[in-house]
């Protein structure tokens, strides 16, 4: 279990639930780490879409690649310009 997942689980227990069910961390526009991915919807060099429970997460940029994908965690690298959330 990751450090961020442990923090999210603790907050969920304390607050009685959090909206979304996912976490992400940006690394200076060069990488994005996402936890809580349920399904990969779309992968393209300029846009990636991940379903994270009740939320669809869209990542926009240039030269995007998935460098890691394991157990609901995804690391996207490239020139990340935007991260947007949409309710499903």
């Amino acid at each position: 279990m990751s450090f961020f997942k442990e923090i999210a689980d603790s907050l969920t227990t304390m607050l009685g639930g959090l909206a979304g069910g996912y976490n992400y961390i940006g690394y200076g526009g060069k990488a994005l780490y996402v936890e809580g991915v349920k399904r990969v919807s779309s992968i393209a060099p300029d846009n990636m879409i991940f379903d994270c429970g009740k939320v669809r997460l869209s990542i926009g940029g240039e030269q995007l690649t998935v460098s890691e994908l394991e157990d609901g965690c995804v690391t996207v690298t490239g020139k990340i310009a935007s991260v947007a959330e949409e309710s499903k």
Side-chain angles (χ1 to χ4, degrees):
M1 182 181 283
S2 77
F3 173 73
F4 298 105
K5 177 78 170 128
E6 289 183 36
I7 291 173
D9 289 347
S10 295
L11 288 173
T12 300
T13 302
M14 287 177 8
L15 301 174
L18 295 175
Y22 72 96
N23 304 299
Y24 71 85
I25 303 166
Y27 296 95
K30 296 180 182 180
L32 187 75
Y33 174 75
V34 184
E35 293 180 331
V37 174
K38 305 293 183 196
R39 187 171 76 92
V40 176
S41 295
S42 173
I43 293 180
D46 61 346
N47 188 22
M48 297 195 179
I49 300 173
F50 302 101
D51 287 339
C52 303
K54 298 178 182 178
V55 174
R56 181 169 289 138
L57 195 65
S58 177
I59 302 166
E62 298 175 16
Q63 302 171 348
L64 300 178
T65 60
V66 173
S67 61
E68 291 184 44
L69 173 62
E70 184 179 342
D71 295 330
C73 298
V74 176
T75 303
V76 176
T77 57
K79 297 177 184 175
I80 298 169
S82 65
V83 179
E85 162 183 308
E86 175 187 325
S87 296
K88 293 194 316 182

